[in-house]
Amino acid sequence: MRKRTLFRLAAGTAAAGAATLAYASLVERNLFTLRRYDVPVLPTDAEPLRVLHLSDLHMMPNQRRKQDWVASLAALDPDLVVVTGDNMADPEAVPGVLRALQPLLDLPGAFVFGSNDYTGPVLKNPFSYFLPDREYTDGVSLPYEELRGILTGAGWADLNNARTTLKAGGRAIEVVGVDDPHIERDDYDAVAGPVGAEVALSIALAHSPEPAVLDRMAADGFGLLLAGHTHGGQVCVPGYGALVTNCGLPRSMARGLHRWPGSDSWLHVSAGLGTHPTAPVRFACPPEASILTLIPR
């Protein structure tokens, strides 16, 4: 009888595990979700401004459902579109990324790249994400210059280690960004400096939300910090949250809107819209885009 009970427990556990894996791989990773946040970063007399934050599409050529969903976000009529990297997961992904972003390209926009804009993902042990000093491995080269040309050709600001002022929602916005800190392509020294005293709104971008970079952006006075990379943990435990962030950010800040410690800045981390192609699962962390409505302080 004890053996029969143990067998039933093992069979039940295996069935529950299989059902969870099926849900995570077939259902939740396609449950595209729009998050909405109010962010108090504007002067007291300013009109609200709406920012659409996209990240981590990890686009494969045949992911038309994702492409259609992203394209449909143009109906939200945001004032500004911000993309924080990891757009591609395949050398043939540019047409799919363009199909997704095309309806948004007529709007003011800005972007930075992530590691999976430069090289494709490689098969890896998922438990390696728990190792803080694991070595990064490059995959196949991706056509990032082609993608860069499309985005800048549409008038979007390339903020990979760059700083500029753009216009959106009828006002000037000081923006800065760094290339991906996760693969040590960031060079904040090249763009550092206090936000102009006359600037009413300032936004900083990075793919990976590394605290050392965010600290400097906040110290320079950038009011809104935007990043992706974490996938929100991708596989989370209900009631506990993300297991890892794959960067120096605390697990409690793996996704969503947070006040950046020791500053007046706000950080929004997008859980992103894609997955690593060799681990196409999400659990308790559906793919997402966010509308950030910037409001007076």
Side-chain angles (χ1 to χ4, degrees), residues 7-51:
F7 176 79
R8 288 175 177 172
L9 285 173
T13 300
T20 299
L21 179 61
Y23 167 79
S25 61
L26 300 176
V27 179
E28 185 167 317
R29 76 181 180 96
N30 293 308
L31 291 179
F32 304 115
T33 302
L34 181 66
R35 307 288 185 196
R36 298 177 184 268
Y37 299 93
D38 290 342
V39 191
V41 294
L42 297 179
T44 55
D45 58 348
E47 292 292 322
L49 185 140
R50 285 156 39 93
V51 177

Side-chain angles (χ1 to χ4, degrees), residues 88-162:
M88 298 182 283
D90 185 275
E92 304 299 323
V94 169
V97 175
L98 179 58
R99 185 171 182 268
L101 296 181
Q102 184 70 64
L104 298 165
L105 292 179
D106 290 335
L107 300 168
F111 68 95
V112 292
F113 283 155
S115 59
N116 286 152
D117 290 302
Y118 297 107
T119 59
V122 296
L123 182 64
K124 64 189 73 174
N125 181 347
F127 291 102
S128 68
Y129 285 99
F130 291 92
L131 303 175
D133 298 320
R134 67 186 179 87
E135 184 177 350
Y136 181 81
T137 304
D138 289 328
V140 62
S141 295
L142 297 177
Y144 65 92
E145 289 295 1
E146 181 182 356
L147 180 59
R148 190 198 310 272
I150 291 170
L151 299 181
T152 57
W156 283 18
D158 178 356
L159 295 179
N160 288 291
N161 299 322

Side-chain angles (χ1 to χ4, degrees), residues 191-205:
V191 293
V195 170
E198 75 288 352
V199 172
L201 175 59
S202 56
I203 301 176
L205 281 61

